[in-house]
Amino acid sequence: MRVAVVSESFLPTINGVTTSVKQVLDHLQRGGHEAIVIVPSAGAPARYAGFPVFEVPAFAYRQFPVGLPNAQVQRLIGDFRPDVIHAASPFLLGAQAIAAGGRLGIPSVAVFQTDVAGYARRNHLGAATKFAWRVVRWIHEGADITLVPSSASMADLETAGVGRLARWGRGVDLVGYHPRNRNTVAAQRLRERLAPRGETVIGYVGRIAPEKQVERMAALRGMEAMSLAIVGDGPSTPQVKKRLAGMPVTWLGKLTGSDLAAAYGSFDIFLHTGTEETFGQTIQEAHASGLPVVAPRAGGPIDLVEHAVNGYLYEPGNNAQLRAGVQLLATDVAMRSRMGEAGRRGVLSRDWESTCDELVGHYARAISRRVRTPAHHASPSTR
């Protein structure tokens, strides 16, 4: 199979979109498929997994490159003649690729991964929220299949009038993220740094950005024998540091690979604070590492955290519930262990190999659907 992967984010930027795209490309390479990668210009490698990477003009927005419409996109797709286009978290660049596929008769699979409309809601933009959903609908209406990662995203997109939806979650590295990492030298040394007096370590991993709401960790202020560890960076770091001033916080910066695995291994509890996650990949990584998770009852975490089984869900904005969930786990080591084990069991079927096999199945269905109904994109009003 020949696949044109068009992503709004790629290396050197590290986030959920980049991680998923890398895993997909690795899987395609192992399966003997052919691929090209089209991404915004940001210093990406010339090749990844043996596949050529093409950069198109972009502008920077909140530390992210945003790809601009460019004739090069259709030319690259036309020259490669893929069997299917994979549009990862499509915005300007992905929308252009999907449209190019429509003109060239090439089916496309769009992966919904960023809550664009949630940004408008959070910033109280009023009518802009409806406009944002119109943009989402416009982008995805040309795709043969839109893959959504969670039940919450499915409900949002159905309400917005986006059709041809299917569920596709995310895989997790079950070998790299493992409870045994707690016993590694790196994790033990880090734990000695984070909890020199045996404190309970509450960890966060992710970007430090407005939508992540990391400042909600301030709800834990005054808890006894508690230490906070924050992995990640981003535009909100100065503001969050100010909100958490005076609390026992260790800022670990951006970590990857074995360093990130060791960080998870040094935590006792994983705290997720954002309410706009379409999935919640770091929750899966925490569960794979054997950690109980405290997260808001919103978006992707609803599907990942089973309340009182592998963690606790709190109502969005309810700092008292957030604190209570962490407090319960902090004072009960046996409960932490039991919930951590449940979290690990819950992700054992979600390795990246099987997840990407499922994705290739969606590619095949998109190709088959285009063959059966070649004119289904001609007029949105006919659907």
Side-chain angles (χ1 to χ4, degrees):
M1 188 178 294
R2 294 168 67 83
V3 184
V5 177
V6 182
S7 178
E8 305 291 341
S9 178
F10 197 58
L11 298 171
T13 302
I14 301 295
N15 54 33
V17 176
T18 299
T19 298
S20 294
V21 169
K22 288 172 55 185
Q23 291 289 346
V24 168
L25 293 170
D26 289 337
H27 185 80
L28 293 175
Q29 190 274 333
R30 290 193 298 270
H33 302 282
E34 298 179 62
I36 61 170
V37 189
I38 304 173
V39 297
S41 178
R47 301 184 73 83
Y48 182 84
F51 303 131
V53 178
F54 299 95
E55 293 189 313
V56 299
F59 68 94
Y61 175 70
R62 290 179 58 214
Q63 301 183 0
F64 276 114
V66 177
L68 293 169
N70 188 283
Q72 183 184 6
V73 175
Q74 179 159 332
R75 186 166 60 251
L76 288 167
I77 292 173
D79 290 345
F80 184 61
R81 297 301 301 183
D83 298 304
V84 66
I85 295 168
H86 173 128
S89 191
F91 188 47
L92 297 180
L93 183 57
Q96 185 181 5
I98 292 169
R103 289 189 292 271
L104 296 169
I106 300 168
S108 56
V109 173
V111 181
F112 181 75
Q113 201 162 341
T114 303
D115 189 0
V116 176
Y119 174 85
R121 282 197 306 269
R122 173 168 39 82
N123 288 279
H124 308 292
L125 299 181
T129 302
K130 292 183 179 179
F131 174 74
W133 278 119
R134 285 200 295 271
V135 171
V136 169
R137 187 166 58 247
W138 168 73
I139 290 172
H140 287 267
E141 68 182 359
D144 292 79
I145 300 174
T146 289
L147 301 179
V148 295
S150 65
S151 58
S153 294
M154 180 73 78
D156 284 345
L157 289 172
E158 286 175 342
T159 300
V162 179
R164 299 184 297 277
L165 303 174
R167 281 286 296 273
W168 181 63
R170 302 290 180 272
V172 63
D173 181 355
L174 296 172
V175 177
Y177 301 112
H178 196 284
R180 63 169 170 259
N181 290 337
R182 194 171 186 84
N183 300 319
T184 64
V185 172
Q188 290 179 349
R189 285 178 177 171
L190 179 56
R191 186 169 179 84
E192 289 172 3
R193 174 184 166 194
L194 299 174
R197 291 173 293 279
E199 297 92 337
T200 301
V201 180
I202 296 98
Y204 167 85
V205 175
R207 290 192 77 235
I208 316 299
E211 67 274 13
K212 302 299 184 180
Q213 303 173 43
V214 185
E215 65 277 3
R216 289 201 175 277
M217 296 181 86
L220 305 179
R221 188 180 296 276
M223 274 185 56
E224 295 182 0
M226 175 268 295
S227 172
L228 301 179
I230 296 178
V231 176
D233 59 14
S236 294
T237 300
Q239 296 92 317
V240 176
K241 284 187 174 182
K242 185 175 181 180
R243 286 288 300 275
L244 303 184
M247 297 180 68
V249 184
T250 302
W251 295 82
L252 298 173
K254 185 165 64 176
L255 300 177
T256 60
S258 60
D259 292 333
L260 179 56
Y264 280 115
S266 72
F267 299 164
D268 294 303
I269 302 165
F270 186 79
L271 176 59
H272 181 81
T273 49
T275 58
E276 297 172 20
E277 296 293 337
T278 56
F279 186 67
Q281 181 64 8
T282 57
I283 292 175
Q284 284 204 140
E285 293 169 356
H287 276 155
S289 302
L291 295 173
V293 174
V294 177
R297 193 186 300 275
I302 294 173
D303 297 328
L304 302 176
V305 180
E306 188 175 355
H307 186 70
V309 174
N310 58 18
Y312 287 109
L313 293 169
Y314 61 89
E315 294 304 318
N318 192 322
N319 288 338
Q321 287 186 2
L322 183 162
R323 183 184 177 99
V326 172
Q327 186 77 62
L328 282 169
L329 289 166
T331 55
D332 193 329
V333 176
M335 181 187 292
R336 291 205 303 266
S337 177
R338 186 169 62 251
M339 288 190 174
E341 289 175 1
R344 174 73 184 181
R345 287 196 302 272
V347 298
L348 288 178
S349 62
R350 301 180 197 158
D351 62 286
W352 273 112
E353 194 70 16
S354 58
T355 301
C356 289
D357 280 341
E358 184 182 349
L359 175 64
V360 173
H362 287 302
Y363 290 164
R365 279 185 285 280
I367 294 168
S368 175
R369 179 173 293 174
R370 177 63 68 107
V371 169
R372 293 196 310 271
T373 57
H376 83 271
H377 298 294
S379 172
S381 63
T382 63
R383 292 195 298 275

